[in-house]
Amino acid sequence: MYQYILFDLDGTLTDSSEGITKSVAYALQHFAIPTTDLQTLNKFIGPPLIDSFQQFYGMDPAQAQTAVNKYRERFSQTGIFENRVYPGVPELLSALKLQGKQLLVATSKPTVFAERILDHFNLRQYFDFVAGSGLDGTRPNKTAVIRYALEQQNIDLLRKTIMVGDRQYDMAAANQVGIDSLGVLYGFGTKTELQAAGANYLAADPAAAKNFLQL
């Protein structure tokens, strides 16, 4: 059914919660904002960081950019590898590649970080292209990232294209671009969140996603 499959990274291919939340806490510490429970920072996983610092902590744009810079200070050295591949993901990607599917990464994370993570966990081999945001603020949201990925790969058969992700941002962006979406339930979003954002399909785990995407 689908020839072109875009995958989110955080919460879809890898469980990156430890590295992200610890790096957010490090950034907040710069503003003397304490963190007592890292799990409360899971809400930072998915949307652009600069938006989250403004939304959740009332920072102005300049403060939020400072927070992003502090986050990257820790994440680029330590947090990037406080991460693990979800069980079943390599098997999912391998099976799809063997079928001749074209796989792409579409993440709000800066491309340079996404590529380092994929290389570190030996996942880069499965992907034809990695699309992320720019460190300079380009491609600031998931919709822009998906459009960039499709343009760079000259993909115009939208009915043969699907976005796989774990958060509302993935589903909403897919709808805006005009492609289908598959919400995965093992990441950081809930079934209610994904359905409310317009997910066309849901998968409980990587094995279920593999079975669906191989159709």
Side-chain angles (χ1 to χ4, degrees), residues 17-28:
S17 57
E18 180 183 358
I20 290 176
T21 57
K22 285 184 176 179
S23 298
V24 170
Y26 175 84
L28 293 174

Side-chain angles (χ1 to χ4, degrees), residues 41-187:
L41 301 180
N42 278 346
K43 58 196 173 188
F44 277 81
I45 303 172
L49 286 170
I50 195 163
D51 295 341
S52 293
F53 281 117
Q54 293 178 79
Q55 178 182 352
F56 301 130
Y57 288 93
M59 295 184 183
D60 62 34
Q63 291 173 322
Q65 185 58 59
T66 298
V68 169
N69 293 342
K70 296 301 292 184
Y71 169 94
R72 289 174 178 167
E73 186 175 285
R74 183 189 187 278
F75 185 82
S76 63
Q77 300 300 317
T78 305
I80 192 170
F81 300 125
E82 293 171 329
N83 202 345
R84 68 180 182 88
V85 178
Y86 285 112
V89 162
E91 292 80 2
L92 159 66
L93 300 176
S94 177
L96 295 176
K97 285 300 289 184
L98 285 173
Q99 276 198 314
K101 309 282 190 182
Q102 185 170 339
L103 310 184
L104 302 86
V105 170
T107 174
S108 290
K109 186 184 296 298
T111 305
V112 62
F113 293 155
E115 290 179 334
R116 284 178 63 192
I117 291 167
L118 293 168
D119 286 337
H120 179 76
F121 290 111
N122 201 30
L123 297 179
R124 183 69 177 84
Q125 59 181 311
Y126 301 112
F127 294 99
D128 295 277
F129 190 71
V130 179
S133 61
L135 290 172
D136 59 357
T138 52
R139 300 184 295 281
N141 55 56
K142 185 56 70 75
T143 301
V145 169
I146 293 176
R147 285 182 173 144
Y148 172 73
L150 299 182
E151 290 168 0
Q152 291 298 305
Q153 294 297 289
N154 297 310
I155 298 171
D156 54 14
L157 289 175
L158 299 187
R159 61 185 177 81
K160 291 282 190 179
T161 308
I162 190 168
M163 176 72 209
V164 183
D166 70 309
R167 296 299 311 275
Q168 58 181 307
Y169 314 99
D170 303 305
M171 308 299 105
N175 287 336
Q176 289 175 0
V177 174
I179 62 176
D180 284 348
S181 58
L182 172 66
V184 298
L185 300 175
Y186 55 84

